[in-house]
Amino acid sequence: MSIKSELKKDGIEVIEQLDTLKTNAIAKHISEKICATFPELNFNQDNLFIKLSRLNMYTAKIPDGMAEATYFYKNSSIYFNEHISEENLEKFAIHECIHYLQEVKDSRNSLIKMGLCEYTEFRIYGLGLNEAAVQLMTSKILGTKKDFVKYYGISFEAASPSYYPLECALVSQLAYITGEDILFDSTINSNDNFKNKLISLIGEKEFLEIQNSLDLIINYEEQITKINNKIVKIDDRNKKVDNLISKINDLKQSIENEFIGAQNNIIKSYFDKEFERSNTVGELENFRKKLYSFKDYIGANSGYTFFNDYYVDKMVEIEEKTNLIQNNQYIPKASIQLPKEYSRIWAIIGFFKNLFKFNKSKSYNENDNL
C-alpha cells in the first residue's frame, strides 16, 4: 500500500509541503527548546537540529477529533491540520518531533520500538504509556500550567489539560514513584530503564496491568472520536444514532473504570512494598510524607474513597511498626526463618482459606447476576 493510500485510510489528505525555510525554523526552535528543557539528556543542539531538519512537513486535511498534527514513520513526515496558524506550527510539532527522535527500526524499515512503546507482529504494547510520556515532555517544553479538570467523571489536576489528560495523570503518578529523569530518558532514548525500575518497585504483573489499562484508555478514546464522526454525518436523530450514543456512554464508563483501577493498583502495589522496605523510624516518616504527597496526583470520581481509606490504614500500621522499632521488638520479615514443617502447615491453611474465598466469591457473583 502506498503512503498516500495509508494516509487516506486514516482520513488524512495532503495539501502541500512546507518550504525548507519554514521546516528549518521549526527544527531550530524545537532543538533549542529540547536542549534547554532537558539538559540531563545531553543532546548536542547542532546535531539535533540537523536530524530534525531532515523531517518532511506538510499541511493536510485531518478529520475532526484527531490530533492537530501527526507523525508518520514510514516516510519520516509530520502532517499538520490545515486549520493551524503558521505561528502555532512549532507548538504542535514538538510532540511529533519527539516521536521521530524515539523511533527504532529494523533493517526492513519496520518500526520495532518507539520510546516506551513496543511493536510486535501481532500487537502494540505501551502505546498509552508512551503517548502520555511524550506529552508530559511536550508540556514541560511549552511550560504548560497545571489546571484542575474533569474528564469522564474524574476530577484531577492535569499536567496536560488538553491532550491525553487521563493518560498523563497516571504516568505522572508513575513518575512520582520513579523520578522524572529516568522516565524521560527512556522515552527519548527508547531504553528499558524506566520499565525495569518500575517493575522493581511495583512488580512485573502490576506493571503489565497498568500498561494495559493505559492502552485500553487510549483505544476507548479513539473509538469515541470515530463514533462521534459517524454521528455528525447522520442528518436526523434515529435509532442508529441512539445506539451510537449508548456505545459512547459505555466507552466513557469503561475509561472511568480503567483509570480508577489503574490508579488504585499503582497506590497499593507501590506503597505496600515501600512500607515493607521501611525498617527505621526515619524511613517510616519518609514513607508517610511520600504517601501524603501522593494526594496531589489523585484523580477522583463520585464516591471515591480508596486513597483516603488506604492512607488511614497505613497511618495505623506506621504507628504500630514505629512502636515495635522503638521498643526493639521489630523483626523484619526477610530475617524471619520458619521451619519447613511450619511453612508447610501455613501453606495448607492458606490453600483452604483461598478455596473458601473462591467459593464465597463465586456464590456472590452468581447471586449478583440474578
Side-chain angles (χ1 to χ4, degrees), residues 17 25 50 122 130 150 204 207 240 267 286:
Q17 185 170 3
I50 292 170
F122 303 105
N130 188 60
K150 186 175 183 179
E204 184 173 13
F207 167 78
K240 183 177 181 181
I267 294 167
N286 289 336

Side-chain angles (χ1 to χ4, degrees), residues 73 106 108 110-113 117-125:
Y73 79 91
D106 63 16
R108 296 173 299 174
S110 296
L111 195 62
I112 57 176
K113 196 170 177 65
C117 182
E118 297 180 25
Y119 292 76
T120 70
E121 186 179 354
F122 303 105
R123 187 180 165 186
I124 300 172
Y125 296 91

